[in-house]
Amino acid sequence: MFVEALELFKIMMVNPFVKPDNYTYPSVLKACGGLGRINDGKMLHAHLTKAGILSSDVVVTSSLVGAYAKCTMFNYAIQLFDEMLERDVACWNTVITCFYQDGQCEKALEMFDEMKKAGFEPDSVTFTTVLSACARLLDLERGKTIHGELMRSDLLYDDFVCSALVDMYGKCRCLEMAKAVFERMPQKSVVSWNSMVAGYSLQGDSVSCIDLFRRLIVQGVKPTLTTLSSLLVACSRSADLRRGKFVHGYIVRNNVEPDIFIGTTLIDLYHKCYCVQSADRVFEKMPKTNVVVWNVMISGYVTLGHYFEAFELFTEMRNVGVRPDAITLTSILTACSQLGTLGQGKEIHRSYIEGKLDSNEIVMGALLDMIYVFVIGSLSSIKSCDYYSGHAGETSH
């Protein structure tokens, strides 16, 4: 109840008989971070600096670092951390997480090493974050090293740590190790099931994914949208229509409200399996405010050679006010090149130069491909005309 906490704190601040102490501030800072109220956090920062509390209380300072991180003010969080004379595990975790969330995974792993050199013992939060960094970097060797450190600690059976291990091994395509960690887990939460399913999904192994799904249901674990999305991705990658329909049937029978990932993956699955009508039905039921939904339909039509349907959908997309992006243009320009409609391709290119999409490498590649196809076609026509003209001349002679 972050709002209520801050309201109470404001009343407390004007109360002449009671003042906040070092136990109050961490809770208030947590509320600021939870609500994303960076201005309140900065005001509190100024107050704490004037009162001399930041230099004397590591818990309060660590909480302020956490508040800045929650508000995605990573630079402020890291700068404050660098100025701390005394640190605790919580602030190390916050800074490691800052680097990870900012996409600086190598830096997160560097901070992990510095934390250990400084004599701090990593906890479950630390290991979960650094294993996630290894997964994002696809750094299997570093992940194995961290796994070795875990073998010597009491955190090997922590659910979040094990799930991160499974996820890391899965993303690094080391499924035997992922399975070994997963099967040793005494309690398997839906997070760990999802990590394992996602690992097989990356390989397009729909058989193993569905086997895991059946086990998950038997053990009474309720699948999430992430579970279902990973299952459908596996079926789509392997063009496994039968198992894909099984998952779709589960979604319908259990009144699961599909999100955009499930909807678009279903469309992709049906297109890959040449079930255009099924893809159309899924598309009709989806909200059409997101360009991704239109892209997957247009791309599917183009892949199957239904170029006129792709053009119709492209026109409808613009009519409802959804702005095409680079992926849309790439698909529709491919259709132009296949139909030989250079004029229409030029018109599409001209219409979206203002959106600066012409500088996109993918769009430029599609444009070049269209022009190349047109030029080759024109040259072929000219050669054919020359051939027949020559023979006609021979005949007349």
Side-chain angles (χ1 to χ4, degrees):
M1 299 168 68
F2 299 137
V3 174
E4 291 82 354
L6 288 180
E7 290 299 323
L8 200 60
F9 176 67
K10 287 173 184 175
I11 296 169
M12 184 183 190
M13 287 293 284
V14 296
N15 190 304
F17 303 107
V18 61
K19 295 297 176 187
D21 61 12
N22 290 12
Y23 292 95
T24 318
Y25 294 119
S27 297
V28 178
L29 287 165
K30 185 177 180 180
C32 290
L35 293 170
R37 290 190 181 176
I38 187 61
N39 289 333
D40 287 347
K42 283 181 176 179
M43 287 171 62
L44 204 51
H45 187 175
H47 168 76
L48 292 168
T49 302
K50 288 177 184 176
I53 295 171
L54 282 184
S55 58
S56 62
D57 195 299
V58 64
V59 177
V60 174
T61 312
S62 183
S63 299
L64 183 57
V65 173
Y68 278 129
K70 280 283 179 70
C71 296
T72 65
M73 302 290 286
F74 299 137
N75 288 339
Y76 281 89
I78 293 163
Q79 183 181 341
L80 185 59
F81 173 81
D82 288 338
E83 293 171 358
M84 291 176 71
L85 299 176
E86 188 181 350
R87 295 164 180 167
D88 60 6
V89 172
C91 67
W92 278 101
N93 285 345
T94 300
V95 170
I96 291 169
T97 305
C98 278
F99 283 118
Y100 171 74
Q101 290 178 342
D102 199 38
Q104 299 185 58
C105 295
E106 289 284 4
K107 190 67 180 174
L109 292 172
E110 284 177 26
M111 293 302 291
F112 175 61
D113 289 336
E114 284 188 32
M115 176 186 181
K116 290 184 293 181
K117 286 176 185 175
F120 290 91
E121 192 71 30
D123 61 10
S124 62
V125 176
T126 325
F127 280 115
T128 301
T129 307
V130 294
L131 284 168
S132 298
C134 292
R136 191 175 286 181
L137 293 168
L138 300 180
D139 190 342
L140 179 60
E141 290 309 310
R142 187 64 189 271
K144 283 182 176 179
T145 302
I146 294 170
H147 188 181
E149 293 176 34
L150 280 166
M151 298 285 282
R152 299 185 291 273
S153 76
D154 298 328
L155 297 170
L156 188 58
Y157 296 105
D158 179 273
D159 182 54
F160 290 104
V161 173
C162 286
S163 297
L165 264 176
V166 172
D167 182 61
M168 184 273 297
Y169 280 125
K171 283 179 178 167
C172 293
R173 300 183 183 276
C174 190
L175 287 174
E176 286 303 314
M177 285 298 296
K179 188 177 180 182
V181 174
F182 177 76
E183 296 298 351
R184 281 201 302 266
M185 292 176 68
Q187 296 293 328
K188 299 177 178 66
S189 70
V190 71
V191 177
S192 56
W193 285 100
N194 285 349
S195 297
M196 198 66 221
V197 171
Y200 283 113
S201 181
L202 277 174
Q203 304 275 45
D205 187 349
S206 55
V207 176
S208 297
C209 283
I210 296 298
D211 286 345
L212 280 168
F213 182 58
R214 289 196 173 105
R215 282 178 59 191
L216 177 152
I217 297 295
V218 167
Q219 293 191 22
V221 179
K222 187 177 180 180
T224 64
L225 292 176
T226 303
T227 322
L228 299 169
S229 181
S230 293
L231 290 168
L232 288 169
V233 167
C235 295
S236 176
R237 283 180 173 164
S238 58
D240 190 339
L241 181 61
R242 185 169 66 88
R243 289 182 177 84
K245 281 186 171 181
F246 168 74
V247 179
H248 193 183
Y250 175 89
I251 291 168
V252 174
R253 286 193 307 275
N254 290 274
N255 298 314
V256 177
E257 190 66 34
D259 61 8
I260 188 171
F261 299 106
I262 288 177
T264 51
T265 309
L266 269 172
I267 292 170
D268 186 56
L269 164 72
Y270 285 130
H271 275 149
K272 281 181 179 171
C273 298
Y274 304 96
C275 297
V276 180
Q277 290 183 341
S278 296
D280 290 345
R281 282 195 291 270
V282 174
F283 177 71
E284 286 304 317
K285 293 177 182 177
M286 290 185 69
K288 297 175 181 63
T289 54
N290 195 310
V291 68
V292 176
V293 180
W294 294 90
N295 283 349
V296 75
M297 273 300 289
I298 292 170
S299 173
Y301 277 142
V302 171
T303 303
L304 292 173
H306 296 190
Y307 305 121
F308 292 108
E309 289 87 343
F311 273 113
E312 285 176 15
L313 209 59
F314 179 65
T315 303
E316 185 185 341
M317 174 186 181
R318 289 190 293 179
N319 289 341
V320 299
V322 177
R323 182 180 173 81
D325 62 8
I327 295 170
T328 326
L329 295 187
T330 302
S331 296
I332 210 67
L333 288 169
T334 301
C336 289
S337 68
Q338 293 299 317
L339 293 173
T341 54
L342 182 65
Q344 197 158 9
K346 282 182 175 179
E347 184 186 340
I348 291 167
H349 183 208
R350 220 172 16 248
S351 300
Y352 293 98
I353 282 178
E354 293 178 4
K356 297 182 181 178
L357 289 172
D358 59 313
S359 61
N360 184 287
E361 288 182 9
I362 301 172
V363 176
M364 291 302 293
L367 277 167
L368 289 169
D369 183 57
M370 180 186 69
I371 294 165
Y372 175 78
V373 169
F374 180 78
V375 170
I376 293 299
S378 299
L379 288 172
S380 299
S381 300
I382 292 166
K383 285 180 180 178
S384 297
C385 289
D386 289 343
Y387 174 81
Y388 286 114
S389 296
H391 279 269
E394 288 173 14
T395 306
S396 63
H397 285 304

PDB file of all heavy atoms in Angstrom, residues 50 109 151 169 333:
ATOM      1  N   LYS A  50      21.112  16.469   3.826  1.00  0.00           N
ATOM      2  CA  LYS A  50      21.195  17.591   4.779  1.00  0.00           C
ATOM      3  C   LYS A  50      21.237  17.103   6.218  1.00  0.00           C
ATOM      4  O   LYS A  50      21.930  17.659   7.066  1.00  0.00           O
ATOM      5  CB  LYS A  50      19.995  18.524   4.591  1.00  0.00           C
ATOM      6  CG  LYS A  50      20.063  19.351   3.320  1.00  0.00           C
ATOM      7  CD  LYS A  50      18.807  20.200   3.166  1.00  0.00           C
ATOM      8  CE  LYS A  50      18.831  20.962   1.846  1.00  0.00           C
ATOM      9  NZ  LYS A  50      17.572  21.725   1.637  1.00  0.00           N
ATOM     10  N   LEU A 109      28.497  -8.923 -14.488  1.00  0.00           N
ATOM     11  CA  LEU A 109      29.370 -10.022 -14.066  1.00  0.00           C
ATOM     12  C   LEU A 109      30.669  -9.495 -13.438  1.00  0.00           C
ATOM     13  O   LEU A 109      31.198 -10.097 -12.500  1.00  0.00           O
ATOM     14  CB  LEU A 109      29.678 -10.926 -15.255  1.00  0.00           C
ATOM     15  CG  LEU A 109      28.478 -11.728 -15.788  1.00  0.00           C
ATOM     16  CD1 LEU A 109      28.829 -12.429 -17.084  1.00  0.00           C
ATOM     17  CD2 LEU A 109      28.003 -12.740 -14.752  1.00  0.00           C
ATOM     18  N   MET A 151      27.385 -25.178  -6.068  1.00  0.00           N
ATOM     19  CA  MET A 151      27.520 -26.537  -5.521  1.00  0.00           C
ATOM     20  C   MET A 151      28.123 -26.508  -4.128  1.00  0.00           C
ATOM     21  O   MET A 151      27.892 -27.411  -3.311  1.00  0.00           O
ATOM     22  CB  MET A 151      28.392 -27.394  -6.441  1.00  0.00           C
ATOM     23  CG  MET A 151      27.835 -27.577  -7.839  1.00  0.00           C
ATOM     24  SD  MET A 151      26.457 -28.715  -7.930  1.00  0.00           S
ATOM     25  CE  MET A 151      27.291 -30.273  -7.845  1.00  0.00           C
ATOM     26  N   TYR A 169      21.071 -22.823 -19.001  1.00  0.00           N
ATOM     27  CA  TYR A 169      21.480 -23.995 -19.770  1.00  0.00           C
ATOM     28  C   TYR A 169      20.597 -24.170 -21.011  1.00  0.00           C
ATOM     29  O   TYR A 169      21.078 -24.548 -22.080  1.00  0.00           O
ATOM     30  CB  TYR A 169      21.425 -25.251 -18.901  1.00  0.00           C
ATOM     31  CG  TYR A 169      22.626 -25.415 -17.991  1.00  0.00           C
ATOM     32  CD1 TYR A 169      22.478 -25.567 -16.606  1.00  0.00           C
ATOM     33  CD2 TYR A 169      23.913 -25.423 -18.511  1.00  0.00           C
ATOM     34  CE1 TYR A 169      23.573 -25.712 -15.771  1.00  0.00           C
ATOM     35  CE2 TYR A 169      25.027 -25.571 -17.686  1.00  0.00           C
ATOM     36  CZ  TYR A 169      24.848 -25.718 -16.321  1.00  0.00           C
ATOM     37  OH  TYR A 169      25.946 -25.864 -15.500  1.00  0.00           O
ATOM     38  N   LEU A 333       6.963  -5.009 -49.734  1.00  0.00           N
ATOM     39  CA  LEU A 333       7.866  -4.795 -50.870  1.00  0.00           C
ATOM     40  C   LEU A 333       8.273  -6.117 -51.515  1.00  0.00           C
ATOM     41  O   LEU A 333       8.490  -6.192 -52.723  1.00  0.00           O
ATOM     42  CB  LEU A 333       9.105  -4.012 -50.422  1.00  0.00           C
ATOM     43  CG  LEU A 333       8.874  -2.528 -50.117  1.00  0.00           C
ATOM     44  CD1 LEU A 333      10.097  -1.926 -49.443  1.00  0.00           C
ATOM     45  CD2 LEU A 333       8.526  -1.750 -51.384  1.00  0.00           C
TER      46      LEU A 333
END
